[in-house]
Amino acid sequence: MESESATTDVKQKVELFLSYWKLIFLCAIIAILLGFSYLRYATYQYKASATIKIRDEKQATKLPSIEDFSAEGLFAQGTDKIKDEIKIIQSRTIAENIIKTLGLNIRCFAEGKIKEKELYENPPIKISFFKSDSIISKIKATIFIKVKSKTEFILFKDDGKSLIDRDNKDGKVYTFGDKIETSYGGFVLVPEVGLHAPNIGSNYKLTISPVTSLVNSYTSKVKISTEKGSSVIKLELEESVAQKAVDYLDQLILEYNKDVLLDKEEVIKVTSDFINNRLQKVSEELENVDYTAEQLQKKNNLTALSSQDNINLQSGQQLQAQISATTNNIQLATFIEDELNRKDRTSDMLPSEIGIGDGNTTQVIKTHNDLVAQRDYLLRNSTKKNPIVVQLNNQIAEVKQSLQSSINSIKETSQLTLNNLNRENARIRGQLYQAPTKARQFTDIKRQQGIKESLYLYLLQKKEESAISLGMYSPIAKIVDNAHSSYKPVAPNVVITYMAALILGLMFPIGFIYVVDLLNTKLYRKEDLVNLLNIPYLGDIPKGNKRQKLVKKVDYSPKAEAFRIVKSNIDFMLRNVKGRSKKIFITSTIPQEGKSHTSSNLATSIAFSGKSVLLIETDIRVPKLLEYLNLIDQPKQGLSDYLADKSIKPQDVVIKHKENEFLDIIHSGTIPPNPSELLMSERVLDLFDYFDSKYDYIIADTSAVGIVSDTLLISHLADIFVYVVSVDNIDKRLLKHVAEPLYKQERLPKLTMLLNGIKLGNKGYGGYGYGYGYGNNPNKKKKWYSFFSKNK
């Protein structure tokens, strides 16, 4: 039963909504039109995407060593490395460089009546500033212009209005190329020529935005995604201009690679600068020694020495070479120590691969530079208070201390070696001391010349190695797919927009109808009445034609059929009443519910069936019966006159209906000042007793029980009460408050409910097909389209 009730409720709701199909259809059409308007004037968004592969640092060099191939695989540190690279790609520094390179802070729009369009690829008007880029990057301004001719334009102030709302008199005429002074500096407007030249009479808007605000926008709009464990990164960007999104992603990849290469080559540049500085000084010293040797040879006219002297000289030269190498090592260690202790250095990087000491010292310098690079890497998007940065600084300090110890050890060891070499050299020099003074002087000069020359050649070699290393690195981001766009808008989505508009267009009227129905306390169908009151239901009467208030003798209308059914139901309920008239009382809760209409039509319908009917109008306060029966010209003497004047006999107030011989009427008569007292008179009982055996039916049109108590005074005379309930008129709460106690207390005998004024198809609560099937008029002509129906 509950499932059936739920199904019935659903059907009723569906019928309710279908009864308003015109309203729902209209709202749906309006919603679709609004969706069309939105799509017509909305700013579309286009998506561009690019794919890159982050290569391992060892793969980023053009000349990898064999050890690199045997080392750990790509990104041994796991996905944290990829996350670090993503943070760099999303950095504000890279976004700022892109915006400045592409000039995205200056935009040109063509203004229309409703919508403006950005002209990105080939703007018809270009602007050039006299101030520096650093100043232009910080200003915010809007320039409105209207092209007057090929050489002139009108400039308007930015006062919050659009160009459509402006008059030409509000602006100032300029010539293209004129310098225009503003609060943020002067600028010049230059028109494009050819295909992209500005149209005469067109309105354009140039917007200048601060770079910092655009940086925030683009860093949030660029979407970066990657799969776990993968080094492939997908970049996506949505923009109002598809080509702008493509250009931004392409430039993003270039800026990222440039940033990475700068980091990788910083150590090489520091080493190269160090070598160049030392090479310049050694070159000057070598030049001085060469010049001294040249002058000594010219002055003393030196020739070849003796064989023994040559042997001693060769031994001395070998010692000098060792002394030179040892001295070079000490000097390089001193250079590194000085570089380590310098306070005016712009970078913490130390020169590497310069051949100092053993491999351990070189590895310490490399470790130091790696830690410095990692720390500087983090400082770009962090602060010095970052725990990782603090930890790296501590590690750098420890490495510096270790490096200082290594350098000290190298210097001490080299100094001992140098002392031994000098002692051996002194011995050989003692043997050469016996040689001529001039030869000895030349030997000293030659020794100094050899030391400086070997150091010079060594530095030249290191310079070339640094130059080669400077170009060894390749971009770390390998482009898998260049930035591309389908040039089809991704937002707003046309299908989703129309679906959303249609859903809203349906939901609004349906929701409104549902809420109104939910708050409605009126009755519209049988179920409303049956569910409200547990009182026998007699039937319902459909709303008829206003011009035809009464049913006719030959009548196939739904209303006539309904009254026949009501008459049959009453006869069934009064089947035990025999040998006297069946007394039917008609009442309602309030006036205007159709009591007189029901009583007159019921009486007429029964009379047409050949049964004698007496219709008594007991509502002597507001009489309407004669109006319904079209008997206005009849005598005014009626029920109230009979009750008030004992000389009047019952048959004296009876009116014969001219068109229906079986129908007699007693109207209310003169409206009395005391209707309740009159109805309490014993003459009421006498009246009913008098006509009890003369008519088959006595129908009484009584007063509304919810307003006055007149009906209750004569209710005991009725065999059955027909309680008329008007559709879309009576409040459910009032009906329940009045009718339910009367039924439970049995104050109205055999109380039955009659629903009056059913509107076919109204609110989905139509009748039950009166006028169809057996109720059809057999003489009614069929419509032309009915011949094509299956049921003829």
Side-chain angles (χ1 to χ4, degrees):
M1 294 298 291
E2 292 182 359
S3 61
E4 292 180 0
S5 176
T7 303
T8 303
D9 290 340
V10 171
K11 289 181 179 179
Q12 291 171 355
K13 292 299 180 184
V14 172
E15 291 174 355
L16 170 65
F17 297 140
L18 290 178
S19 66
Y20 288 98
W21 70 270
K22 293 181 180 179
L23 174 63
I24 296 174
F25 180 76
L26 177 62
C27 291
I29 294 298
I30 294 174
I32 292 175
L33 292 177
L34 291 175
F36 173 80
S37 301
Y38 169 74
L39 293 173
R40 174 67 176 81
Y41 299 108
T43 300
Y44 286 86
Q45 294 292 317
Y46 301 86
K47 179 185 288 187
S49 61
T51 307
I52 60 175
K53 182 180 185 297
I54 306 299
R55 293 184 288 190
D56 194 357
E57 293 181 0
K58 298 174 183 178
Q59 294 180 346
T61 59
K62 297 177 182 177
L63 300 174
S65 63
I66 296 177
E67 289 79 5
D68 293 336
F69 290 105
S70 60
E72 292 182 336
L74 181 63
F75 299 118
Q77 298 177 354
T79 57
D80 290 340
K81 177 65 177 177
I82 292 295
K83 292 180 181 178
D84 292 341
E85 299 303 322
I86 290 176
K87 290 296 182 183
I88 297 175
I89 295 174
Q90 292 177 327
S91 65
R92 294 176 55 85
T93 303
I94 291 181
E96 184 174 346
N97 292 338
I98 297 171
I99 294 170
K100 290 180 179 179
T101 303
L102 298 179
L104 300 181
N105 59 319
I106 301 176
R107 305 165 69 189
C108 179
F109 296 89
E111 290 209 340
K113 294 182 178 180
I114 299 178
K115 183 181 178 181
E116 61 183 21
K117 180 182 180 182
E118 182 176 359
L119 307 175
Y120 168 72
E121 294 186 69
N122 298 288
I125 297 175
K126 296 183 178 180
I127 185 170
S128 300
F129 293 92
F130 289 91
K131 293 287 186 179
S132 62
D133 292 340
S134 60
I135 297 177
I136 302 304
S137 298
K138 297 179 181 179
I139 65 174
K140 181 179 181 181
T142 304
I143 301 172
F144 295 92
I145 64 172
K146 183 174 184 179
V147 180
K148 186 177 181 181
S149 64
K150 293 183 178 180
T151 58
E152 293 182 332
F153 65 91
I154 304 174
L155 180 66
F156 298 94
K157 294 182 179 179
D158 183 11
D159 53 3
K161 298 181 180 178
S162 66
L163 283 175
I164 307 302
D165 302 327
R166 300 174 189 265
D167 191 275
N168 292 346
K169 299 178 181 178
D170 299 334
K172 186 176 181 180
V173 180
Y174 288 92
T175 301
F176 285 110
D178 289 348
K179 182 178 180 181
I180 303 172
E181 293 292 343
T182 63
S183 58
Y184 47 85
F187 64 84
V188 173
L189 294 179
V190 181
E192 188 64 80
V193 295
L195 182 62
H196 303 291
N199 298 322
I200 298 175
S202 298
N203 299 317
Y204 297 98
K205 180 178 76 172
L206 298 175
T207 62
I208 308 163
S209 305
V211 172
T212 54
S213 64
L214 293 178
V215 167
N216 296 330
S217 174
Y218 277 102
T219 52
S220 62
K221 287 196 297 185
V222 175
K223 306 300 181 184
I224 303 178
S225 60
T226 183
E227 296 181 1
K228 186 176 181 180
S230 173
S231 60
V232 177
I233 295 177
K234 185 175 183 180
L235 309 174
E236 292 182 338
L237 174 63
E238 290 186 9
E239 261 288 354
S240 57
V241 180
Q243 189 59 42
K244 183 192 290 188
V246 171
D247 292 347
Y248 187 93
L249 293 182
D250 283 337
Q251 192 64 31
L252 174 59
I253 298 173
L254 292 176
E255 292 292 336
Y256 169 69
N257 279 329
K258 186 189 300 183
D259 183 77
V260 173
L261 288 177
L262 289 176
D263 287 343
K264 300 300 181 184
E265 295 176 352
E266 185 176 355
V267 176
I268 304 299
K269 289 182 178 180
V270 170
T271 304
S272 179
D273 293 340
F274 171 78
I275 292 174
N276 288 333
N277 293 334
R278 307 316 304 174
L279 187 61
Q280 184 177 359
K281 292 182 179 181
V282 173
S283 177
E284 293 174 358
E285 294 175 357
L286 180 60
E287 184 177 356
N288 292 333
V289 172
D290 289 342
Y291 179 76
T292 302
E294 180 184 356
Q295 294 299 319
L296 183 61
Q297 283 181 319
K298 288 181 179 180
K299 181 179 179 180
N300 298 319
N301 193 20
L302 296 176
T303 58
L305 300 176
S306 62
S307 300
Q308 184 62 41
D309 292 337
N310 287 337
I311 294 173
N312 292 331
L313 183 61
Q314 290 177 0
S315 300
Q317 289 177 348
Q318 293 177 356
L319 287 173
Q320 290 301 327
Q322 295 178 10
I323 291 172
S324 176
T326 305
T327 304
N328 288 345
N329 203 30
I330 294 175
Q331 288 184 353
L332 289 175
T334 304
F335 292 160
I336 292 296
E337 186 176 24
D338 294 341
E339 190 72 14
L340 189 63
N341 296 326
R342 274 179 57 190
K343 303 298 183 181
D344 58 345
R345 295 169 62 231
T346 59
S347 174
D348 287 340
M349 294 290 186
L350 294 176
S352 64
E353 301 295 339
I354 61 174
I356 181 175
D358 52 12
N360 182 49
T361 305
T362 303
Q363 182 62 36
V364 172
I365 294 176
K366 183 178 183 304
T367 301
H368 173 272
N369 289 338
D370 290 343
L371 292 173
V372 171
Q374 188 175 358
R375 182 200 62 188
D376 294 344
Y377 192 71
L378 292 174
L379 284 176
R380 294 182 183 178
N381 298 295
S382 181
T383 62
K384 294 182 178 181
K385 296 182 179 181
N386 189 318
I388 300 178
V389 174
V390 174
Q391 183 180 1
L392 290 174
N393 285 332
N394 294 335
Q395 294 179 4
I396 291 171
E398 293 176 359
V399 173
K400 281 185 176 180
Q401 185 175 0
S402 176
L403 182 60
Q404 184 68 49
S405 299
S406 298
I407 291 174
N408 292 335
S409 178
I410 291 171
K411 289 175 65 177
E412 291 176 0
T413 304
S414 299
Q415 188 64 44
L416 291 174
T417 303
L418 182 62
N419 292 338
N420 294 330
L421 292 173
N422 286 332
R423 284 195 295 270
E424 181 65 18
N425 186 50
R427 185 184 64 78
I428 295 176
R429 288 181 63 188
Q431 295 178 359
L432 291 174
Y433 188 77
Q434 299 176 0
T437 303
K438 296 179 180 180
R440 181 170 52 80
Q441 291 177 348
F442 179 74
T443 301
D444 292 338
I445 296 298
K446 199 70 176 176
R447 182 178 65 250
Q448 295 178 17
Q449 188 179 27
I451 293 173
K452 299 298 181 183
E453 184 177 359
S454 64
L455 180 59
Y456 181 77
L457 292 175
Y458 178 79
L459 291 175
L460 279 179
Q461 179 184 355
K462 290 299 179 182
K463 180 181 178 181
E464 289 301 320
E465 291 178 358
S466 298
I468 294 173
S469 299
L470 191 62
M472 285 179 60
Y473 291 101
S474 61
I476 192 173
K478 176 185 177 182
I479 300 177
V480 178
D481 288 321
N482 286 311
H484 66 281
S485 173
S486 63
Y487 294 89
K488 294 181 180 180
V490 295
N493 188 288
V494 177
V495 176
I496 294 178
T497 300
Y498 277 123
M499 288 182 63
L502 180 60
I503 291 173
L504 290 176
L506 294 175
M507 287 179 60
F508 180 78
I510 290 176
F512 177 77
I513 294 170
Y514 178 79
V515 172
V516 170
D517 180 68
L518 192 65
L519 299 176
N520 193 359
T521 58
K522 304 296 179 62
L523 295 99
Y524 296 95
R525 64 186 187 276
K526 171 185 175 181
E527 288 76 11
D528 294 340
L529 188 57
V530 171
N531 294 333
L532 180 67
L533 298 172
N534 189 20
I535 300 176
Y537 186 78
L538 185 63
D540 44 52
I541 305 297
K543 188 176 182 63
N545 192 338
K546 293 183 178 180
R547 293 176 297 179
Q548 183 181 339
K549 295 182 179 180
L550 292 177
V551 297
K552 298 179 180 180
K553 187 172 184 178
V554 180
D555 196 338
Y556 298 95
S557 66
K559 183 169 73 172
E561 185 67 23
F563 276 109
R564 295 186 189 105
I565 294 175
V566 170
K567 184 256 184 185
S568 299
N569 292 338
I570 292 175
D571 286 341
F572 177 77
M573 297 181 71
L574 299 180
R575 60 187 180 277
N576 295 327
V577 179
K578 298 179 180 179
R580 61 179 181 86
S581 60
K582 299 177 181 179
K583 301 177 183 64
I584 306 169
F585 281 33
I586 313 295
T587 188
S588 65
T589 307
I590 59 175
Q592 305 298 325
E593 288 201 74
K595 293 188 290 53
S596 299
H597 171 269
T598 301
S599 58
S600 59
N601 275 282
L602 182 60
T604 303
S605 178
I606 295 174
F608 281 146
S609 66
K611 301 292 184 179
S612 58
V613 181
L614 175 61
L615 179 58
I616 305 176
E617 187 176 21
T618 61
D619 186 1
I620 57 179
R621 296 175 183 268
V622 186
K624 290 184 178 180
L625 195 58
L626 294 181
E627 179 182 352
Y628 273 100
L629 295 172
N630 196 20
L631 299 174
I632 304 299
D633 56 346
Q634 295 296 324
K636 299 299 181 182
Q637 194 175 28
L639 178 62
S640 61
D641 302 294
Y642 165 77
L643 297 177
D645 188 356
K646 295 183 179 181
S647 63
I648 299 176
K649 297 180 180 180
Q651 62 270 22
D652 295 337
V653 294
V654 176
I655 301 173
K656 298 288 185 179
H657 197 285
K658 297 179 180 180
E659 298 178 1
N660 194 335
E661 59 178 327
F662 295 101
L663 178 61
D664 293 340
I665 304 102
I666 299 178
H667 70 94
S668 62
T670 305
I671 299 177
N674 55 344
S676 297
E677 287 79 359
L678 290 178
L679 291 175
M680 293 172 64
S681 172
E682 294 181 356
R683 288 177 61 83
V684 175
L685 180 58
D686 295 341
L687 180 70
F688 277 88
D689 289 342
Y690 179 79
F691 293 113
D692 190 24
S693 59
K694 294 181 173 58
Y695 293 93
D696 295 321
Y697 294 87
I698 297 178
I699 299 176
D701 180 14
T702 65
S703 303
V705 294
I707 303 298
V708 294
S709 61
D710 296 358
T711 303
L712 298 177
L713 298 175
I714 59 174
S715 61
H716 60 283
L717 302 174
D719 292 321
I720 187 172
F721 258 91
V722 178
Y723 199 106
V724 179
V725 178
S726 178
V727 168
D728 196 16
N729 186 19
I730 182 68
D731 191 295
K732 293 179 181 179
R733 295 165 294 182
L734 177 60
L735 176 62
K736 185 176 181 65
H737 177 72
V738 174
E740 191 171 46
L742 293 176
Y743 176 75
K744 290 182 178 180
Q745 298 171 13
E746 298 183 354
R747 301 183 65 181
L748 299 180
K750 287 192 177 181
L751 181 61
T752 59
M753 309 302 291
L754 177 69
L755 192 60
N756 180 44
I758 286 288
K759 299 177 183 178
L760 299 178
N762 182 55
K763 294 183 179 293
Y765 307 141
Y768 297 93
Y770 298 122
Y772 298 94
Y774 292 107
N776 278 339
N777 186 350
N779 298 321
K780 185 177 180 180
K781 294 183 178 179
K782 294 184 178 180
K783 299 293 184 180
W784 63 272
Y785 50 78
S786 64
F787 290 99
F788 298 97
S789 175
K790 293 182 179 180
N791 300 321
K792 297 183 179 180

